[in-house]
Amino acid sequence: MDDSNLLSDFTFFLKEKKQEGIKIIAYLAHDNIPEELIDAAGFFPLRLIFGGSDELMDASHDYLPPSTCAFAQSCIGLFSIKPNYYKFLELVDYIIVSNHCVSDICVSEIISKYFNIPRLNFYVSYTKNENSLKYFKLELQDFRNQLEATLGKKISDEDIHNSILKFNNFKKKLLEINELETTGSEKLKLIHKSMLFGPDFLHDLENLIQKFKDTPQPVSTTSKDVLLTGCSIFINDNLIDLIEEGGGNIVFFDTWIGNHYYSQIIEDNHIDIEKDPLDLLVLKFKNNIYSDHSVPDFLKQKVSFIQKYSENYKKNKGRKLGVINHIIKFCDHISLMSSFLKDSLQEKGIQVLNLERDYSRANRGQLSTRIEAYLEMMK
Amino acid sequence: MSLVADEIITFSSVLRIAFNMLNGRNYLKRKKFRDKEKLVAVTLPFSDLAFAAGTVPVFPIRMHEFDISRYLSYLGSASSIFGWNAVSNFLSFTKNLGFEKVSKIVDDIIEDVIGTINYKYNEMYDVGIEAGISSDFCYGLKSLVGMHVTKGKNVDACLNVTIRCSAYNKYLESLKSINKAPKQIWIDIPPRNLGNSIELLTDNISNALNEFEKLTGNSITDNDLRAHFKIGNQVKRSYKNIIYDISASDFYPCNPATFSEIMALLSITFQDYNSNAVRYRDNIVSLEKEMRERIRKGVGMDVSKMPRIFVTPMFGGWEPKTHDIIYELGGRTLYADWELLKFLEEIPTAAHTNPSEEYARFLMRATETGIGCDNDKLTDSYLRMATDLNADGIIFFQLFGCHSISNCYAMLREKVRRELEIPITAITFNKIGDNVEQVKTRLGAFMEMFPKKK
Ligand code: SF4
Ligand code: SF4
C-alpha cells in the first residue's frame, strides 16, 4: 500500500496545527493513552502508527539489540533517519513514555533521550480489576498535572468532557467502517487516515462512509474472508496487499487501531457532565477488554470475541471466516500468546494462521507463500 | 576442576544448600503426599506470602530429579545420622586419602552442582520450545515454560506477581493454559508509587492472602506474616553481609572461582529458599559464619590484586563458565543481582506495623528503585551496585530475546563511561554452553584492560 499521499497531506495538516501554536504529543500505537486529555489541553495527539523497513530497523541498532520488536525498531529508525515523508516528526514537541509493553517504554525513552524530545509519563497496571482501575485514575490525574504544567494553566473539566464526547462520537463513526461493502484495503485506508488525523477528520469520514454506502463496491465472491487479529497493519506496510493478492479479504481489524479502539466507546447514558471526567476515562479503559496489555484474561476475552464474531459472521453472511494472527517479530504480547490462541481457536473449529514477520523486504516471498497456503486450505 | 570441589566440601553449609536444592523432589513429594501441604510455584524472589500462608513455595525446576541426586541422597542419609559437619569432614578426609574412586565420587557431587542445575535448565529450555513458546523469547522464559509443562501439574497454585517485563507477565498469564488445575494467585504491583498506590498494593496483597486462605483452609494472621518476614530478614542480612563484607573485600575464604560458584548457588536458591525458610536461614547464617571463621583463621586467598568484575544480570540466564574464565584470567567475579534489584531489603516487623502494608512498601521499592519503571532507573541501579561493590569493570549479559533488561545496555554503557569511568562490555547470551569460546575471547580481550597488579 503506497501511503505517500496520506503522509504528504498529514505533513501539511500538522504544519498548520503547529502554525496555530498547537503542540504535538506523540506516542506509540497502542490503545490506552488518554488522547482526550491531550486534546482538552489544546495539544494534538499523534499516534505513531507507521510500518517499518530494513533501513528503519537497521537505524535502531545503535540503541537496541536487533532482537527487539520490528515495530519498536522502526519507530526509532523514523526519528533517527526522518525519511522524506516523515519530516513531520520534526514537529513533535513531547513523547509519552508508556508501558503498553516494555519495548514501548524503551523506545519512547530512547526517542526522548537521544532525539531531545521532552517526555511525559503514563503507565498502566497490567491487571484489570477494581484496584487497577483506581490506579488508572491516579495516572490520569498525574498526566493531567503534567499537561497542565506544560500548558501553564489548568485544564477545565468541561474541556475534558467535550473532548471525551468528541472522541466518543468519532469512534462510533469509525465503527461503521466494519459494515461497509468494500475491500479490506479500502477500509484500512479509512482507518489509517482517521487514526492519524483524529476527530478533525470526522466530517470527511462521514462523507466517505456515505459514499461507500451509496455506491457499494462488492468484493469478489471468490476471495476468502479473514479477521485480522494480533498486531496492527500500520501505514506504509504492504501486508494487506499480500493478503489480497493471495486471495484473501480482511473484513474485520481486531487490533490496536481497530476493535481495541472502538471497544472503548462509552455508552451515551454513562456520559454525565456532572461526573468527574476522569471517571469516564477510567470507564473507557475498563471497556477495553481485548487489550493485549492486560492479564490474566486477555486470551479468554480474545478467544470468546473471535469465536462469537466468527459464528455470527457465518450465520449472517453464510461464509466461513479465517483468522490471521499477525505477529510482528519479537512482539512480547502477541508472540507469547500466539500458540495458545491458535490452539484454543482451532479446538473450536476456527482455523488460524500465526503469521510472524518483521519489516524486511526479503520476507515478502515467504509471507505470500504462507498466506496463499493458508487461504487455499480455508476452502 | 577439583579445586572448586576441594573448597566447597569444607563449607558444610554449601553442601546442605546444594543438597536441598537438588534433592527437592523427594522433599516436595513428602510435603505434598505425607504432610498434605500445598505446593505453590514461584519465580523470582516472591516466595514470602506462600511461606507466611503455610504453603510450600517451589521454584518449579526443583520438582525434577537431578542426575547426581543418587550420590547426594547417600550423603543426605549419612547427614541425618551423623550431621552435616561430620559428612563434610568425612568428605574432606576421603578426598585426601587419595583413593581415586572415592575422590571421583566426591568431585562428581560437588563440582557438578551448578553444572547439573544448568543442564536441567537447558533441558527445560528445549521442552519449552517444543511446547510452542517461540524461540525468540529469553532463556529464562523458555526454561520456565518447560518447567511448567513438565512439572507444573504437581503444584496446587501459582503465585503470579507482575513486573515491568511484558513477556514475563504474559508468561504468567499463559500458565493457566499450560496446566488448568493449579489455582492462579495474582499480585499486581502498580508501575509507579503515585497517590495511594501503596494502599492499592496492600489491598492486592490482602486479596492474594485471601486466595491462599481458600487454598489451605487456614487463616493467615499478621503474626504469621511477621514471623516469616523475620526469617526472611535474617536470610537477607547474611546474604548482604556475604556480598558486601566478603565478596567486596580483599581476602576471600576460598578461591574466587569457588566463591562465585557459591554466589551462583545462592542466587538460584534464593527464589524459593529451597522450599523451607527456616532451614535456608540456618544454612545461610552458618555459611556466613563459616566464611568469617576461615577469614579469621587466615584460611583462603588474598584477592587484593585481582580486579573485581561485576557480572550481571544472571537471573534470566547467563553463562556459568564466566567466573571460571575470569578467574583463569586473573580476575574475580561478583554476582549481586538480587541486591541490585532491591530484593535484599529487610521488611519491618515491629508489632505496631501492618505487615501487608510493609510488604507492599518492599515490593514498591523493588519496583521503583530496583528494576525501575524505565531504563533510566534500571541503569541507575547498575551504577549504584557497581559503585557499592567498588567494581573495576562490568560484564553485562545481553540476553537474546530479553526486551526489558538487555535493552538498557546502550544507556548503561554511556552512563558507566561517563559517571564511573570503568570498562564495561556486553556479552550476548542465548543458551548455556552455546558459545563458551566466544565468551572466552570476549573476556580475554576485556581482562586485557586491567593491568596486572604486582
Ligand atoms: S512488542 Fe508488540 S506491543 Fe510492544 S511495541 Fe512492539 S508491536 Fe507493540
Ligand atoms: S526481564 Fe528479560 S530475562 Fe527477565 S523474564 Fe523478562 S525478558 Fe526474560
Side-chain angles (χ1 to χ4, degrees):
Chain A
M1 205 148 77
D2 177 14
D3 289 311
S4 43
N5 285 342
L6 170 65
L7 293 172
S8 322
D9 289 352
F10 186 64
T11 305
F12 188 70
F13 167 84
L14 216 56
K15 275 188 179 157
E16 272 187 355
K17 290 265 171 214
K18 203 67 187 196
Q19 273 158 14
E20 288 165 27
I22 293 171
K23 291 205 158 51
I24 317 292
I25 303 195
Y27 53 96
L28 259 65
H30 313 104
D31 47 27
N32 283 319
I33 300 293
E35 51 194 358
E36 297 84 348
L37 278 182
I38 301 173
D39 181 73
F43 299 145
F44 181 78
L46 168 59
R47 193 180 291 260
L48 301 173
I49 47 170
F50 311 107
S53 64
D54 291 289
E55 196 195 8
L56 293 176
M57 291 191 297
D58 288 347
S60 74
H61 298 163
D62 285 346
Y63 309 96
L64 288 172
S67 63
T68 306
C69 95
F71 169 66
Q73 288 186 39
S74 299
C75 283
I76 292 186
L78 282 174
F79 278 86
S80 169
I81 301 178
K82 299 218 180 73
N84 257 339
Y85 289 111
Y86 294 93
K87 294 284 181 232
F88 59 81
L89 292 174
E90 279 164 6
L91 306 176
V92 171
D93 295 287
Y94 296 92
I95 177 109
I96 300 177
V97 175
S98 187
N99 67 333
H100 180 80
C101 63
V102 79
S103 299
D104 194 333
I105 302 179
C106 292
V107 168
S108 28
E109 204 180 0
I110 286 170
I111 292 173
S112 168
K113 189 173 162 68
Y114 295 100
F115 304 104
N116 296 322
I117 301 175
R119 69 188 255 184
L120 301 168
N121 299 303
F122 188 79
Y123 287 79
V124 182
S125 293
Y126 267 96
T127 56
K128 197 168 270 180
N129 52 35
E130 280 310 307
N131 283 340
S132 54
L133 297 183
K134 286 180 191 155
Y135 180 76
F136 193 80
K137 189 162 177 192
L138 293 176
E139 284 282 345
L140 287 170
Q141 190 53 60
D142 184 72
F143 191 59
R144 182 179 183 167
N145 295 343
Q146 292 175 61
L147 291 170
E148 286 174 346
T150 321
L151 196 62
K153 65 177 174 107
K154 294 272 171 212
I155 308 167
S156 73
D157 280 2
E158 194 191 344
D159 284 344
I160 301 175
H161 265 294
N162 289 339
S163 292
I164 291 173
L165 274 171
K166 180 161 95 176
F167 278 85
N168 207 46
N169 289 336
F170 182 56
K171 281 186 196 121
K172 284 186 197 162
K173 199 68 207 166
L174 265 167
L175 194 53
E176 291 179 26
I177 294 177
N178 289 322
E179 300 311 318
L180 297 180
E181 213 175 312
T182 185
T183 57
S185 49
E186 287 300 326
K187 289 182 184 175
L188 187 61
K189 269 187 204 157
L190 285 182
I191 295 176
H192 280 162
K193 197 156 186 186
S194 309
M195 300 295 288
L196 202 53
F197 286 79
D200 286 25
F201 182 60
L202 180 63
H203 183 65
D204 290 350
L205 181 64
E206 282 167 344
N207 289 340
L208 286 167
I209 286 179
Q210 196 51 50
K211 217 169 99 190
F212 276 110
K213 283 181 178 166
D214 295 343
T215 42
Q217 302 175 350
V219 180
S220 155
T221 48
T222 57
S223 67
K224 309 277 171 51
D225 296 348
V226 168
L227 174 147
L228 182 92
T229 190
C231 300
S232 303
I233 301 178
F234 294 126
I235 292 170
N236 253 345
D237 181 2
N238 63 16
L239 183 63
I240 188 123
D241 302 331
L242 300 188
I243 293 173
E244 293 187 354
E245 283 159 17
N249 181 44
I250 299 176
V251 296
F252 191 80
F253 294 86
D254 177 35
T255 69
W256 305 303
I257 56 167
N259 191 34
H260 296 201
Y261 192 61
Y262 327 127
S263 69
Q264 302 177 17
I265 290 172
I266 305 167
E267 298 290 336
D268 287 341
N269 57 350
H270 283 120
I271 304 187
D272 174 355
I273 55 158
E274 297 301 314
K275 259 195 177 171
D276 180 349
L278 297 192
D279 287 330
L280 287 174
L281 294 175
V282 172
L283 180 63
K284 191 188 83 146
F285 167 64
K286 189 180 173 191
N287 287 349
N288 186 13
I289 56 173
Y290 305 116
S291 175
D292 46 281
H293 174 79
S294 299
V295 293
D297 289 329
F298 158 72
L299 185 68
K300 194 171 112 196
Q301 304 281 17
K302 203 50 145 180
V303 170
S304 118
F305 171 78
I306 294 177
Q307 189 188 5
K308 260 190 227 137
Y309 188 90
S310 169
E311 284 166 4
N312 284 341
Y313 195 80
K314 206 165 173 189
K315 206 162 77 194
N316 298 335
K317 309 261 175 182
R319 286 165 69 91
K320 196 173 173 187
L321 187 70
V323 174
I324 294 183
N325 185 27
H326 175 212
I327 307 159
I328 293 181
K329 195 161 173 62
F330 294 113
C331 171
D332 279 353
H333 293 174
I334 305 302
S335 178
L336 208 142
M337 298 314 274
S338 62
S339 60
F340 301 107
L341 180 75
K342 182 171 177 164
D343 291 349
S344 311
L345 288 172
Q346 306 226 129
E347 264 172 32
K348 299 176 190 331
I350 299 168
Q351 287 168 322
V352 179
L353 171 66
N354 273 338
L355 190 67
E356 186 181 67
R357 48 82 71 126
D358 61 16
Y359 289 117
S360 65
R361 255 183 303 273
N363 264 336
R364 213 185 143 107
Q366 198 214 0
L367 280 176
S368 291
T369 314
R370 293 202 57 210
I371 293 166
E372 281 164 22
Y374 170 74
L375 294 171
E376 178 75 13
M377 189 194 70
M378 243 185 82
K379 271 186 195 135
Chain B
M1 207 187 70
S2 55
L3 183 59
V4 174
D6 280 340
E7 300 283 1
I8 288 186
I9 57 172
T10 57
F11 288 111
S12 71
S13 49
V14 177
L15 209 52
R16 289 195 294 267
I17 293 171
F19 174 77
N20 296 335
M21 159 77 214
L22 297 175
N23 191 44
R25 184 176 158 81
N26 291 337
Y27 177 81
L28 294 163
K29 268 171 134 177
R30 211 170 57 234
K31 285 280 160 198
K32 186 173 169 86
F33 297 112
R34 197 189 68 189
D35 302 345
K36 304 277 178 256
E37 291 185 20
K38 302 286 184 197
L39 304 190
V40 177
V42 293
T43 27
L44 303 177
F46 289 129
S47 62
D48 296 301
L49 294 192
F51 276 120
T55 61
V56 182
V58 52
F59 182 60
I61 204 167
R62 291 187 49 254
M63 287 183 278
H64 274 275
E65 194 161 355
F66 288 88
D67 281 347
I68 66 163
S69 65
R70 192 155 59 89
Y71 300 119
L72 272 175
S73 61
Y74 295 152
L75 289 182
S77 313
S79 71
S80 60
I81 303 169
F82 304 114
W84 275 105
N85 283 331
V87 171
S88 171
N89 290 338
F90 172 72
L91 287 174
S92 307
F93 173 70
T94 51
K95 252 192 86 68
N96 293 332
L97 283 180
F99 299 137
E100 211 184 304
K101 207 167 164 206
V102 177
S103 178
K104 173 85 177 64
I105 292 173
V106 173
D107 274 357
D108 282 350
I109 299 166
I110 307 302
E111 277 177 32
D112 286 351
V113 169
I114 297 294
T116 304
I117 298 168
N118 288 326
Y119 179 79
K120 189 60 79 180
Y121 260 106
N122 272 358
E123 206 180 305
M124 293 302 103
Y125 171 106
D126 293 335
V127 175
I129 291 177
E130 269 168 43
I133 180 171
S134 160
S135 55
D136 288 348
F137 286 97
C138 76
Y139 179 83
L141 286 184
K142 284 180 274 199
S143 313
L144 281 169
V145 168
M147 291 176 209
H148 279 274
V149 167
T150 48
K151 295 290 175 194
K153 61 180 182 307
N154 298 331
V155 297
D156 300 283
C158 299
L159 177 56
N160 304 329
V161 184
T162 58
I163 57 171
R164 79 167 194 161
C165 170
S166 39
Y168 181 78
N169 296 335
K170 281 287 150 189
Y171 142 79
L172 293 176
E173 176 174 358
S174 76
L175 292 180
K176 65 178 174 186
S177 299
I178 297 175
N179 291 296
K180 303 237 173 335
K183 187 182 182 67
Q184 305 294 326
I185 302 177
W186 286 84
I187 299 178
D188 186 47
I189 307 178
R192 300 196 287 167
N193 191 2
L194 295 178
N196 67 339
S197 296
I198 292 286
E199 217 175 280
L200 298 175
L201 178 52
T202 307
D203 196 45
N204 291 346
I205 289 168
S206 302
N207 293 339
L209 289 172
N210 288 341
E211 294 301 314
F212 272 110
E213 288 178 339
K214 285 184 210 155
L215 180 74
T216 61
N218 302 325
S219 55
I220 306 160
T221 64
D222 280 359
N223 281 339
D224 292 331
L225 288 164
R226 282 194 203 99
H228 170 71
F229 293 159
K230 277 181 191 156
I231 297 167
N233 288 347
Q234 287 167 307
V235 170
K236 292 169 187 169
R237 215 168 298 147
S238 283
Y239 202 157
K240 265 189 180 237
N241 289 344
I242 293 171
I243 291 174
Y244 289 113
D245 296 355
I246 304 178
S247 85
S249 76
D250 281 338
F251 191 87
Y252 276 15
C254 50
N255 86 58
T258 308
F259 194 84
S260 303
E261 200 93 350
I262 296 173
M263 296 308 278
L265 182 65
L266 290 183
S267 177
I268 295 166
T269 53
F270 185 71
Q271 295 180 88
D272 70 353
Y273 292 178
N274 282 335
S275 299
N276 184 327
V278 173
R279 187 178 68 181
Y280 193 74
R281 186 257 334 257
D282 293 347
N283 286 336
I284 196 166
V285 167
S286 70
L287 174 61
E288 185 198 341
K289 268 199 204 131
E290 281 170 354
M291 285 181 165
R292 289 194 189 280
E293 188 59 15
R294 284 169 69 98
I295 293 170
R296 196 182 60 78
K297 287 182 185 160
V299 181
M301 201 165 159
D302 179 349
V303 290
S304 56
K305 302 204 168 41
M306 304 176 106
R308 300 172 165 97
I309 311 299
F310 175 34
V311 176
T312 189
M314 62 181 299
F315 68 92
W318 98 118
E319 179 47 61
K321 290 265 179 293
T322 308
H323 49 258
D324 290 341
I325 302 169
I326 290 180
Y327 174 58
E328 278 156 21
L329 293 167
R332 49 175 155 151
T333 300
L334 309 184
Y335 293 129
D337 275 1
W338 300 135
E339 168 63 358
L340 178 141
L341 297 173
K342 294 271 180 198
F343 281 114
L344 299 186
E345 295 293 292
E346 294 190 23
I347 303 170
T349 54
H352 65 272
T353 56
N354 170 349
S356 298
E357 192 180 318
E358 294 301 341
Y359 192 55
R361 289 187 197 288
F362 163 78
L363 291 178
M364 188 52 94
R365 252 196 312 272
T367 301
E368 278 229 303
T369 54
I371 193 163
C373 58
D374 61 21
N375 283 342
D376 200 28
K377 291 259 172 61
L378 175 63
T379 45
D380 284 348
S381 296
Y382 284 111
L383 255 62
R384 187 194 63 235
M385 198 67 242
T387 310
D388 291 351
L389 291 172
N390 204 3
D392 298 300
I394 301 176
I395 302 287
F396 187 85
F397 267 99
Q398 208 164 21
L399 262 69
F400 172 82
C402 170
H403 310 139
S404 189
I405 310 270
S406 290
N407 279 5
C408 81
Y409 180 66
M411 197 184 284
L412 176 64
R413 184 184 52 202
E414 192 191 294
K415 279 193 186 178
V416 166
R417 288 186 181 158
R418 198 180 53 230
E419 293 176 35
L420 298 186
E421 296 178 1
I422 59 172
I424 176 167
T425 195
I427 293 182
T428 49
F429 172 83
N430 186 27
K431 188 179 181 188
I432 292 173
D434 249 14
N435 59 351
V436 179
E437 282 313 309
Q438 198 203 334
V439 173
K440 264 190 194 153
T441 316
R442 296 298 303 267
L443 289 175
F446 183 74
M447 294 304 289
E448 289 285 308
M449 282 191 257
F450 302 96
K452 299 262 176 292
K453 291 185 196 163
K454 297 266 157 46

